[in-house]
Amino acid sequence: QVQLAESGGGSVEAGTSLTLSCAASQYRVGDYCMGWFRQAPGKAREGIASSDRDGRTNYADSVKGRFSISKDVAKNILYLKMTSLKSEDTGVYYCAAVEAYWCGGGWSGTGRYDYWGQGTQVTVSS
């Protein structure tokens, strides 16, 4: 079965950078659509970035220009590089996957994805 495992979260100060990793098993990250989501305390889970089979990416306005999603096909890992972190970036970050080539217009919706990791906590202090 498909398994996703996030890592790289932690507590950092505002303005710094952090890179999250999502290791996949029984799933080829280079072949399909994957996404990153986050859930702040008391809020719904929101899509923040996605990457298609061909590397085409989408970003939420709140992270555009600061976050970057990428795939290492050889290592079968999805990354989320986060820079210029803000306190409002605090939350649990999840990677998500679906066995479809393209993420499409619904890339930021939780219903688009079939597989989820357990999440990793990111806390940004100002």
Side-chain angles (χ1 to χ4, degrees), residues 9-70:
S11 296
V12 297
E13 292 187 353
T16 60
S17 301
L18 201 61
T19 298
L20 306 182
S21 301
C22 173
S25 61
Q26 302 302 312
Y27 181 93
R28 296 176 11 149
V29 301
D31 285 356
Y32 302 115
C33 161
M34 296 190 75
W36 282 100
F37 286 71
R38 71 182 176 195
Q39 188 163 19
K43 295 189 177 181
R45 194 171 298 188
E46 62 169 339
I48 55 174
S50 72
S51 177
D52 282 331
R53 169 189 173 95
D54 63 356
R56 181 170 41 191
T57 58
N58 293 290
Y59 295 95
D61 288 343
S62 60
V63 306
K64 199 171 294 183
R66 299 188 299 121
F67 289 13
S68 177
I69 187 172
S70 62

Side-chain angles (χ1 to χ4, degrees), residues 93-123:
Y93 283 69
Y94 300 89
C95 66
V98 59
E99 289 174 322
Y101 292 162
W102 319 119
C103 299
W107 68 270
S108 62
T110 56
R112 182 70 183 98
Y113 303 87
D114 295 323
Y115 308 104
W116 294 84
Q118 80 289 349
T120 186
Q121 175 71 43
V122 174
T123 302

Side-chain angles (χ1 to χ4, degrees), residues 80-95:
L80 182 70
K81 182 177 181 180
M82 307 184 292
T83 65
S84 301
L85 283 163
K86 305 175 182 179
S87 57
E88 51 262 45
D89 293 320
T90 293
V92 180
Y93 283 69
Y94 300 89
C95 66

